[in-house]
Amino acid sequence: MIPPIANDFVAGETPEAALAHVDEINARGVAGILNLLGEHYDERPPADADADAYVALVEAIADRGTDACVSVKPSQIGLDVGDAVFEENLARIVAAADAAGVFVWIDMEDHETTDVTLDAFERHARETDGGVGVCVQANLKRTREDLDRLAELPGKVRLVKGAYDEPGEIAYREKRRVDEAYREDLAFMFEAFDDGVAVGSHDPAMIEHARELHAEFGTPYEVQMLMGVRESAQFDLAANEDVTVYQYAPYGDKWFSYFYRRIRERKSNALFALRAILGN
Ligand code: FAD
């Protein structure tokens, strides 16, 4: 069982618990992005099993009429085993999701996976006419050029700052420079994208920048944040602004390392966890 503090960041161990969590946020105007926790499988069986789980999940989302989509990590569905395994499993998930009318996001992992991930996105974006989305990372120097290519495709693009520790030759490493790149990339997306822009950030400055760009260009946009991070801002935005808000809610039995990462990344989270452990 997931202990109470981890419950703030992880939507349960089972798909039923995750869907029940999404029901709660749906009732407060926020849509869900469900992610089954798991990554970097170096053998095929767990990759196939997680792909099966996503197929069942998209069918359950459609059957229940839940306002949710899914987000899949390439290394979770076989990329470390081989490109063909990843592509086969992704095709299976996208086919089931497309039949069920459920949107599929492809998360972006480290820079060695960028090309294969964008190529897979392009194929499925064309085949489903925009039923899939991909994440790109503002810390990578190549991203501005990747956005030129993505602007020509159907489907949505989520811009994030980037979670991986990348080398200086290919990535901005200074926070100020990453923030600058995020602003520039976002401005380009609002100007050049038709299918909408997904702002994957908790940063109030980036969300304000998106608000201004939306007022200038009229491009539809959505804000995506993680479960357990600035949740009151998520509900406020959904209630008071003309923007769709999504909460990325991970679930599954591999919750510990994800929870540990969330706790380590911010002192306030660590203090919160400590207070909960001490019982006040
Ligand atoms: P930061 O620069 O971390 O923070 C800026 C400001 O935001 C802070 O000063 C504070 O005001 C506010 N803030 C941030 N965190 C908190 C907090 N815990 N509590 C209170 N305030 C806070 N990365 C990838 O590499 N690949 C992916 O596929 C990917 N998918 C993502 C999907 C979603 C929906 C989200 C939200 C993030 C995703 N990320 C992904 C992670 C992303 O790259 C960043 O590492 C992460 O979002 C932190 O950057 P930030 O933009 O939120 O702002």
Side-chain angles (χ1 to χ4, degrees):
M1 214 188 77
I2 302 183
I5 348 147
N7 263 340
D8 284 353
F9 299 96
V10 180
E13 287 189 293
T14 62
E16 292 75 24
L19 288 163
H21 170 77
V22 177
D23 286 343
E24 283 172 28
I25 60 170
N26 281 176
R28 300 181 68 184
V30 171
I33 304 176
L34 285 174
N35 168 257
L36 172 60
L37 290 164
E39 59 194 319
H40 294 302
Y41 297 136
D42 51 16
E43 290 182 352
R44 183 153 189 165
D48 289 349
D50 278 13
D52 291 344
Y54 276 113
V55 167
L57 181 64
V58 295
E59 286 164 359
I61 289 171
D63 286 349
R64 297 167 95 254
T66 307
D67 188 1
C69 52
V70 298
S71 206
V72 180
K73 282 198 176 5
S75 76
Q76 168 175 35
I77 55 168
L79 188 58
D80 293 358
V81 187
D83 291 4
V85 179
F86 160 58
E87 280 160 23
E88 201 183 299
N89 276 329
L90 183 64
R92 227 152 46 81
I93 296 166
V94 171
D98 197 37
V102 174
F103 194 85
V104 177
W105 283 99
I106 310 172
D107 283 351
M108 188 60 80
E109 298 181 278
D110 68 82
H111 75 275
E112 290 183 355
T113 69
T114 311
D115 283 322
V116 69
T117 305
L118 293 182
D119 289 349
F121 166 73
E122 172 160 2
R123 206 163 34 253
H124 291 294
R126 290 189 193 282
E127 276 168 20
T128 60
D129 197 21
V132 295
V134 73
C135 178
V136 293
Q137 300 148 323
N139 67 329
L140 293 191
K141 293 176 183 171
R142 61 175 285 168
T143 290
R144 179 57 192 79
E145 224 167 273
D146 289 334
L147 288 172
D148 285 336
R149 167 185 175 191
L150 295 170
E152 304 302 315
L153 300 176
K156 292 197 276 186
V157 177
R158 173 203 301 151
L159 182 67
V160 299
K161 291 188 185 176
Y164 296 82
D165 187 19
E166 303 285 13
E169 304 84 66
I170 57 147
Y172 306 116
R173 295 182 52 87
E174 220 184 309
K175 179 169 165 41
R176 187 193 52 78
R177 188 64 193 90
V178 176
D179 285 354
E180 203 175 297
Y182 194 100
R183 287 172 173 281
E184 289 165 7
D185 291 343
L186 209 54
F188 173 76
M189 289 168 78
F190 272 91
E191 215 179 321
F193 280 38
D194 299 325
D195 281 0
V197 174
V199 181
S201 177
H202 310 103
D203 191 338
M206 300 307 150
I207 294 167
E208 176 58 27
H209 187 44
R211 194 180 283 127
E212 288 164 6
L213 289 164
H214 172 66
E216 186 178 350
F217 296 104
T219 316
Y221 75 113
E222 61 192 52
V223 171
Q224 303 183 353
M225 298 195 211
L226 302 181
M227 180 178 173
V229 180
R230 299 197 67 220
E231 284 203 353
S232 56
Q234 299 176 24
F235 298 124
D236 283 354
L237 273 175
N240 301 317
E241 295 208 23
D242 177 25
V243 61
T244 310
V245 181
Y246 280 89
Q247 182 183 98
Y248 184 108
Y251 75 97
D253 58 10
K254 299 182 187 66
W255 55 268
F256 185 79
S257 56
Y258 177 83
F259 166 62
Y260 186 65
R261 236 182 302 158
R262 295 280 82 77
I263 291 301
R264 276 186 42 162
E265 83 195 353
R266 261 183 100 78
K267 218 193 313 174
S268 58
N269 287 344
L271 288 173
F272 170 66
L274 188 64
R275 270 204 306 273
I277 289 163
L278 294 174
N280 42 144

